[in-house]
Amino acid sequence: MSRLGGPLLDRLLIAPEVSAALRAGAPVVALESTLITHGLPHPLNFEVARAAEHAVRVEGAVPATVAIRDGRLMVGLSEEELVALASAMVDTLGKAARPNLAAALAAPGWAGATVSATMIAAHVAGITVFATGGIGGVHHGALAGRAPTFDISPDLEELARTAMAVVSAGPKAILDVRATIEYLETRGVPVVTIGQEDVPGFFSRASDVRSPLSVADVEAAARLTRHHLDLALGAGILLCVPVPESEALSPEVAQSAIERAVAEAEGERISGPRLTPWLLTRVAQLSEGASVRANRALIVNNARVAGQLAARLQGVNAR
Ligand code: PSU
Ligand code: MN
């Protein structure tokens, strides 16, 4: 299996609790931080980050929220650090992914780690389970129309090259979900949905996209993950968990807000790394906060499932 390391190892700052857990072979779950810095409004972002860490702990695993500060890839944040990250002004904050990792590490201050940057840090640290909200993917218009934008998230390439289990509620519904799933197939990334046949629709449980693989429960997901990682193919595995029923949006409500937001973004020529945060914020306004409640619920739920998965992978008995 390809393993990052070397110089990047020197950039890691692993929290004492996390490194003790890794040395002991105890379950650890990495959590990303762009949803804190760019995905959710303050102060909800802090509450959600803390609730996600708590959900991991309840399952007997140690949370390791990943972020960048002053040239270091931090793996595991203290409560004070989480407060500082969550309350920093968004225009002072970078959004670190593989393509701009060097720039983000060279800049002073905090940056949120997207899925790709978090996978890199977690992999170097020796963590195999990671929870996010929704992964990035193929944006609408990336591949179609007269002037395709080619806006495809580095998350997908990272999943193809870094061996790790990523727990999500599917690709974010602001994306072209069907194209995203096809892209992952092309790049050799297994996509496994837990508990239903379709890929979850992020804000809603349903989508009209069939999941390439599905399993009944976390136990079965853990077995498949173990098999996949043991083959050392190099790629990650994407596990998809539907948003909890109580906070799920109906597909119609979600779809109409998303369609309008996507059209407006095009009209305003929003592009690049700004696009995803812009769309999430706009969908929140158009759904009168319902999308944010769904986002919150799915992030915490994914952290819980990732905790269960990590415990099973480390051979720790389920509660
Ligand atoms: N999940 C959420 N909210 C988010 C994200 C995930 O519920 O904001 C972030 C992740 O960090 C992911 C990023 O990597 O959005 C994708 O950004 P882009 O489409 O620009 O690659
Ligand atoms: Mn992009």
Side-chain angles (χ1 to χ4, degrees), residues 2-10 120 123-125:
S2 72
R3 203 175 154 78
L4 299 158
L8 256 176
L9 262 177
D10 300 335
I120 291 169
H123 188 63
V124 176

Side-chain angles (χ1 to χ4, degrees), residues 139 151-154 272-273:
H139 280 276
D151 190 348
I152 300 171
S153 176

Side-chain angles (χ1 to χ4, degrees), residues 192-261:
V192 185
T193 299
I194 302 178
Q196 64 181 38
E197 299 285 312
D198 282 354
V199 173
F202 190 63
F203 297 128
S204 40
R205 290 172 69 87
S207 75
D208 53 6
V209 180
R210 179 85 166 196
S211 183
L213 294 162
S214 57
V215 292
D217 51 25
V218 179
E219 189 68 51
R223 280 197 300 274
L224 187 50
T225 299
R226 176 45 58 218
H227 270 114
H228 173 75
L229 295 177
D230 280 352
L231 288 177
L233 296 169
I237 177 169
L238 180 65
L239 301 166
C240 301
V241 183
V243 57
E245 195 113 51
S246 56
E247 305 297 334
L249 267 60
S250 80
E252 297 74 34
V253 167
Q255 217 38 53
S256 75
I258 289 163
E259 271 164 28
R260 189 164 153 196

